[in-house]
Amino acid sequence: MQREVDELQTTLSYDYGKEQQYFSLRGKCFSIESKEYTYEMCPYGKASQKDKRGYGDVALGTFTKWEGNNNTLMKFENGQTCWNGPARSCLVTFVCGAENKVIKVDEPSRCVYAMNFETPEACTTADEEEWTAKLKQLE
């Protein structure tokens, strides 16, 4: 019972955005495939890289915090250590999109990964107004 209470307190302690818009993503995972790997990102959980040849999974980190003040950069840290290098980490940029999906993964520097994640939850009133204006132009 204590474990359940602790888990609930942890869940409630997370920042789910100004309007709690990211709460629905908790407990879900999203993936994208590249030539050699499948990358998976679980908001408020973990990020990983899975080798398609069966060489195993590599932890890219666990969720630690939001970077910045607008809840669009989710930081995953303390992943598996690289050979003669730092522990892996991943910064996930949340962008406005029609559905929840990882759309891009890069490794901009050694053992540091960057993902772009589309979600309707990242859309703002400004995005909505822009779409409405574009729809009116098409009519």
Side-chain angles (χ1 to χ4, degrees):
M1 186 181 259
Q2 183 60 46
R3 185 182 52 133
E4 289 180 28
V5 169
D6 292 344
E7 286 176 13
L8 184 56
Q9 286 177 332
T10 298
T11 297
L12 293 174
S13 71
Y14 289 139
D15 178 356
Y16 294 107
K18 192 180 218 181
E19 297 174 13
Q20 306 299 310
Q21 69 270 27
Y22 297 128
F23 185 80
S24 65
L25 300 176
R26 183 187 54 80
K28 296 180 181 173
C29 297
F30 306 93
S31 61
I32 187 172
E33 294 195 17
S34 72
K35 189 176 181 180
E36 297 178 57
Y37 305 105
T38 298
Y39 293 91
E40 184 175 74
M41 186 273 301
C42 306
Y44 304 100
K46 63 180 177 59
S48 63
Q49 176 189 59
K50 299 174 184 188
D51 191 295
K52 289 183 177 179
R53 298 167 293 181
Y55 292 125
D57 298 353
V58 175
L60 303 182
T62 55
F63 171 72
T64 54
K65 62 185 174 184
W66 287 98
E67 295 266 310
N69 59 3
N70 59 358
N71 293 81
T72 58
L73 298 171
M74 186 174 261
K75 184 75 173 180
F76 293 79
E77 298 178 294
N78 305 313
Q80 190 171 330
T81 304
C82 286
W83 175 257
N84 288 331
R88 288 174 173 83
S89 65
C90 183
L91 186 62
V92 180
T93 302
F94 280 52
V95 296
C96 179
E99 60 184 286
N100 294 324
K101 65 180 179 178
V102 177
I103 57 171
K104 184 178 177 186
V105 179
D106 288 316
E107 188 177 358
S109 60
R110 187 169 178 253
C111 303
V112 175
Y113 297 80
M115 287 186 190
N116 286 3
F117 178 68
E118 275 189 355
T119 178
E121 310 309 334
C123 298
T124 64
T125 303
D127 293 319
E128 205 173 305
E129 290 170 356
E130 181 182 333
W131 290 349
T132 302
K134 286 180 181 178
L135 283 173
K136 285 182 181 180
Q137 286 177 348
L138 292 173
E139 291 176 347

